[in-house]
Amino acid sequence: MLVLLNSNTGFQNIRSCANHLAYFPETDNSGLLPAFQPGLDELRKAFDKFDSNKDGKISQMEYKAMLRALGQGNMTRDVPKTFRVADFDGDGFINFKDSVEVHKRSGGVMTTDIQNAFRTFDLNCDGRISAEEVMEMLRRLGERCSLEECMKMVRAVDTDGDGAVDMDEFMTMMTRTMKLD
């Protein structure tokens, strides 16, 4: 993911993590305008985060593990349905080509998908993402990041200076380096 702090891979993981939640939309987005259309590099990074064993394909088990890590365990029951839609070659897995095709057909990442990703990061549901919440989400993804590093990440996005990332700031972060085709 393209980000502000190029020396800090943790911030890249915030965008990557958020993109996971919007990567295979669980809802019908027909009729909605996309918030952004990520490029192949962005899609590859999101795909690679799901592909935990690095075999070039995402299994239902890997997909469910990522949902649980992101606090979306209640969505695991929908994984077989997602795979029926996304597995174009019928091998029981989602490869990168399948995932790009799903993304192309869905029309991009919708505003509602980004809002849902925000709510996942907002662990205490106060409408703001703190450095502690960033650190917890990265920990769930197996990333090591100090509280100080997470505070730097938040400050890089926190345009109103309140020490946290609100929905507008999150939306800006998620769409700032993207462009519609």
Side-chain angles (χ1 to χ4, degrees), residues 4-180:
L4 300 174
L5 301 175
N6 52 11
S7 65
N8 190 330
T9 59
F11 194 63
Q12 292 175 338
N13 286 322
I14 293 173
R15 287 224 3 208
S16 179
C17 175
N19 274 327
H20 297 325
L21 298 173
Y23 197 56
F24 296 108
E26 297 293 329
T27 58
D28 177 18
N29 288 325
S30 58
L32 298 176
L33 294 175
F36 68 87
Q37 183 75 43
L40 285 178
D41 287 345
E42 197 118 33
L43 292 174
R44 172 56 80 179
K45 287 178 183 171
F47 178 88
D48 288 346
K49 201 66 168 166
F50 274 93
D51 182 17
S52 59
N53 66 2
K54 307 301 179 214
D55 65 355
K57 54 191 176 184
I58 301 168
S59 69
Q60 288 192 32
M61 194 168 78
E62 287 171 311
Y63 194 87
K64 288 177 182 179
M66 181 59 72
L67 289 174
R68 283 191 286 277
L70 295 171
Q72 300 293 313
N74 60 327
M75 295 174 71
T76 59
R77 69 182 176 280
D78 297 327
V79 169
K81 178 180 156 188
T82 300
F83 271 65
R84 281 192 299 277
V85 171
D87 178 18
F88 292 103
D89 60 12
D91 66 353
F93 298 92
I94 297 173
N95 60 37
F96 185 63
K97 184 177 176 183
D98 291 335
S99 64
V100 170
E101 186 61 28
V102 166
H103 205 72
K104 208 184 304 180
R105 289 182 185 193
S106 72
V109 176
M110 305 300 160
T111 301
T112 55
D113 298 324
I114 296 172
Q115 291 167 339
N116 289 336
F118 176 87
R119 286 190 278 282
T120 298
F121 274 91
D122 183 15
L123 299 173
N124 66 3
C125 301
D126 67 352
R128 302 162 13 122
I129 300 170
S130 67
E132 292 82 3
E133 289 167 316
V134 170
M135 191 168 78
E136 174 59 19
M137 288 304 291
L138 293 176
R139 185 197 62 76
R140 289 180 184 184
L141 291 170
E143 303 292 333
R144 293 179 190 256
C145 196
S146 72
L147 183 57
E148 185 177 313
E149 291 169 318
C150 291
M151 291 169 90
K152 285 180 185 177
M153 293 177 217
V154 167
R155 279 194 301 270
V157 178
D158 177 23
T159 57
D160 64 11
D162 67 353
V165 177
D166 63 30
M167 180 68 80
D168 290 337
E169 293 163 336
F170 189 80
M171 188 70 70
T172 298
M173 175 197 66
M174 290 296 295
T175 61
R176 149 178 31 227
T177 60
M178 317 294 179
K179 41 186 172 165
L180 288 170

